[in-house]
Amino acid sequence: MTTETATSRRGGRQIFGRAAPSRVPDRVLKWGLTTLAAFILVLIAFFFVRLYVEAQPAFDTFGHLGFVTGNEWNVSQDTYGAWPLIVGTLITSAVALVIGIPVAVAVAVFLTELCPRRLRGLLGTLVELLAAVPSVVYGLWGVFVLIPRLKPVTQWFSDTFSFLPFIGGEVAGPNYFNGGLILAIMIVPIVSAISREVMATVPAENKEAALALGATRWEMIRTAVLPYSRAGIAGAAMLGLGRAIGETIAVTLVIGNAPQIGSSLFDQGYTLAAVIANEFGEAASDPIHRAALIAAGLVLFVLTLLVNMVARFYVVRAERSQRIGRGERA
Amino acid sequence: MNAVDDMTAPTPPSRLAPISARRRRTDKFARGMLWAGTGLALVPLALVVYYLLSRGLRAWSWHFFTSDPTGRFIGDPGGIKSAIIGTVLIVLLATAIAVPIGIGVALYLTEYGKRSRFANTVRYFIDVMTGVPSIVFGLFIYIVLILSGTFGGFAGWKGSVALSLLMLPVVTRSSEVVLNLVPSGLREAGLALGAPRWRLILRVILPTALPGLVTGSLLALARAAGETAPLLFTAFAVNATTFNMGQQMNSLPIQIFNDVRQAQDRIVDRAWGAALTLVLMILIATLLARLVSRRSRTK
């Protein structure tokens, strides 16, 4: 009789002769983890709001548009316009992309299509090691090795091709080009890693079809591999761009930190990230200067946000089209 | 499914023609360029490693590792003891903050949230966090923990918090991937035996995924160890060794950053020695991560 009531009280769940487990820890864990996830969203919202509030004095003084388009960044006169910094950020990132992307894509194609199997693991690891070197070490290397070695070469280039726009004149030691070159080195591993992942998903049928039709190895790459992975490569390039825009310390050390728009690629410049790293220490006592630097951080944040959103769009699209291409519908 | 139907590539020429000399040349040239591009990518690595070893080893000595920077410009500049200890403490605390939160969020995403709209929003913003420049995290922590004045001035633990923000998305993303690899058969078996979800998570899912979680955390740690920007105005820098995370703390990246900008050769030498030390520490963490993941794969 007693067993009967026990079973009916537990709704028939009791089969194995053990007490039904309590539901409380389950709820606690579920809500705990959900709160943690919600905490991330709150954190990012808080992040944005606090940056904006602290940057407010700068926007009040110079206006939102005035701050972004202002052409003068002058600490001694308390005049802050971020345009030279934005231009510097864009120039160095553009140089990084122009040099870095072709190299990164070449590495990815080489490792997926041409490399002898025995070498593949080794070379892949070596390229990844480029990402393990900290930014400040690239900066150190840039200041004491790259800049002095590169100066004669860039001076010759500048003299020979002075008829081109933005090239010519005296080459400064630290300059935009050096910053871009260091950034290029730093974005190669991430861009090539993502490109490799995308290229690895190209269906073997496509490649075999190209080869069977008599294509050479390169023609197979050009007609089967590259078109198929184009969206993924574009996404990888955008992620690299995001990295280049936000990179701070290495650029700070090799760009010269002059808050003006240089007349050539080989002039000294400044970037948004570099100005924060350099001036924040002395700005703590001057509210307007501090607000201007935080505003520069906000501009940087928004810029990387936009770039990453575009990148994500491309990468997601590439993943989706490939999933369909392989016949798995999610 | 016929893959050819969905082929997005333009159709290659359909007639079999003998490969002309021009096409052969193009092929050779393009392949050469791919070889050259890969070689080119490795040139900076070789150069950085060469200079790190040749300049860094010269700076190394017993004295170098056992003395603090003196802060003097004339005479003995001192070593990097305080910087090594600071880096280790700051990064360990950052890992202790970021790993539990990161794995917790990943558990929510794989075990509870799955493909719900809220979970996808969280995923999206974690990706957004990955793209935030590290110096902006530094600014944020400065505003919240230092400018507000409630927690005092610069301190080692604030540097840890800034680094943990940087590690959080890396840990979460890698953990989510690993947790998704746990076979659903294990989950179903556990539930079928009557185990409540929390025990399933603690006793089955986490132990199964453990090697992968450790690898992801170690890689995040390696990435954080080399970061300079978030520490610039959170942990700041001092010369003396301290184990008190409530005070300003030295660290290897900051030490290098400050030494590079000195004109003194001996101080620059210290930067090279510190850089070699830092790179070796990061390499060890990376190698450990690989070792853990390899051992779990062979098991």
Side-chain angles (χ1 to χ4, degrees), chain B residues 232-282:
Chain B
L232 270 177
F233 23 81
T234 51
F236 211 63
V238 284
N239 288 326
T241 299
T242 172
F243 290 91
N244 182 353
M245 308 256 345
Q247 285 177 353
Q248 295 184 16
M249 240 182 192
N250 204 357
S251 58
L252 282 169
I254 298 283
Q255 181 77 52
I256 300 168
F257 183 60
N258 288 335
D259 285 352
V260 173
R261 303 194 288 181
Q262 307 292 342
Q264 286 275 331
D265 278 349
R266 302 183 62 180
I267 293 181
V268 171
D269 280 348
R270 178 173 65 196
W272 282 105
L276 182 59
T277 315
L278 181 61
V279 169
L280 278 182
M281 285 165 73
I282 290 171

Side-chain angles (χ1 to χ4, degrees), chain B residues 117-282:
Chain B
R117 180 174 293 182
F118 178 66
N120 279 333
T121 316
V122 171
R123 264 187 208 103
Y124 182 79
F125 278 97
I126 283 176
D127 279 355
V128 166
M129 263 180 105
T130 317
V132 175
S134 58
I135 191 147
V136 180
F137 280 129
L139 268 185
F140 174 64
I141 295 301
Y142 177 84
I143 291 171
V144 175
L145 294 181
I146 294 173
L147 200 58
S148 61
T150 35
F151 299 99
F154 300 113
W157 68 271
K158 294 174 186 175
S160 299
V161 176
L163 286 185
S164 72
L165 288 180
L166 204 84
M167 295 170 71
L168 190 59
V170 184
V171 175
T172 309
R173 283 311 246 172
S174 65
S175 305
E176 199 197 342
V177 172
V178 178
L179 290 171
N180 268 329
L181 287 180
V182 175
S184 53
L186 279 182
R187 288 195 180 90
E188 285 153 17
L191 289 174
L193 286 171
R197 222 161 235 281
W198 65 272
R199 286 192 73 171
L200 181 73
I201 289 175
L202 288 182
R203 304 289 290 274
V204 178
I205 296 176
L206 283 181
T208 313
L210 188 66
L213 297 176
V214 172
T215 300
S217 307
L218 277 171
L219 288 178
L221 182 151
R223 188 184 154 200
E227 279 293 340
T228 319
L231 300 177
L232 270 177
F233 23 81
T234 51
F236 211 63
V238 284
N239 288 326
T241 299
T242 172
F243 290 91
N244 182 353
M245 308 256 345
Q247 285 177 353
Q248 295 184 16
M249 240 182 192
N250 204 357
S251 58
L252 282 169
I254 298 283
Q255 181 77 52
I256 300 168
F257 183 60
N258 288 335
D259 285 352
V260 173
R261 303 194 288 181
Q262 307 292 342
Q264 286 275 331
D265 278 349
R266 302 183 62 180
I267 293 181
V268 171
D269 280 348
R270 178 173 65 196
W272 282 105
L276 182 59
T277 315
L278 181 61
V279 169
L280 278 182
M281 285 165 73
I282 290 171

Side-chain angles (χ1 to χ4, degrees), chain A residues 151 154-155 158-159 162 167-175 263-268:
Chain A
K151 189 152 190 265
T154 41
Q155 185 62 63
S158 175
D159 293 341
S162 54
I167 287 174
E170 190 66 25
V171 170
N175 59 40
S263 55
S264 90
L265 192 58
F266 303 110
D267 259 343
Q268 299 193 3

